[in-house]
Amino acid sequence: MAIPGKCKTILIVEDDDDIRNVMIDLLESEGYTTKAATNGKEALDALGSMAKPCLVLLDMMMPIMNGRQFLDTIMSDTLLAPIPVLIVSAVADKTNTEGSIGFLKKPIDIDVVLNVVSQYCK
């Protein structure tokens, strides 16, 4: 869990422009800082060039590098593995989200997202 007052940055990994933009608008309106990526490779590149986020919101079905490939990659990296990852995907279930803190099925409930975010990004 993030240290209160220390981290408010969230990495959103989502290939759907509308969903990504809604999540950015929602989180930024709540005072969070967001960084966005449209696939797992972009997200890995972003993690290499930014301060560690307090949370990653990750879609599973994306081009180039999907969510499972992204999770497997960061889980094998000692610097990235501690970053909490919440799966936000229509295809998320207990069988394909190992390594994450949990999953939310699309369509998402905004209040649930904000509740989870507030637990990790105070």
Side-chain angles (χ1 to χ4, degrees):
M1 189 178 274
I3 298 168
K6 290 290 183 183
C7 180
K8 293 190 77 91
T9 302
I10 301 162
L11 176 60
I12 300 167
V13 190
E14 170 63 64
D15 64 322
D16 183 291
D17 292 340
D18 292 333
I19 295 171
R20 187 177 60 252
N21 290 333
V22 165
M23 290 172 68
I24 289 168
D25 291 345
L26 169 71
L27 293 168
E28 290 184 352
S29 74
E30 293 290 322
Y32 298 102
T33 301
T34 61
K35 176 86 174 165
T38 60
N39 61 63
K41 178 165 182 351
E42 279 184 19
L44 288 175
D45 292 344
L47 287 172
S49 65
M50 65 186 281
K52 209 183 289 185
C54 54
L55 182 66
V56 175
L57 300 178
L58 178 67
D59 186 22
M60 293 302 275
M61 294 177 54
M62 298 176 291
I64 302 171
M65 177 185 269
N66 66 34
R68 180 72 261 163
Q69 293 165 320
F70 172 82
L71 258 178
D72 289 343
T73 302
I74 68 166
M75 284 173 39
S76 67
D77 184 312
T78 56
L79 293 175
L80 301 178
I83 299 171
V85 177
L86 177 66
I87 307 296
V88 181
S89 180
V91 297
D93 62 38
K94 290 180 182 174
T95 62
N96 67 355
T97 57
E98 180 184 343
S100 71
I101 59 168
F103 65 90
L104 297 176
K105 299 233 358 143
K106 290 179 185 172
I108 57 171
D109 181 319
I110 290 170
D111 291 330
V112 173
V113 172
L114 290 175
N115 184 40
V116 173
V117 167
S118 71
Q119 293 175 35
Y120 290 90
C121 305
K122 293 184 179 176

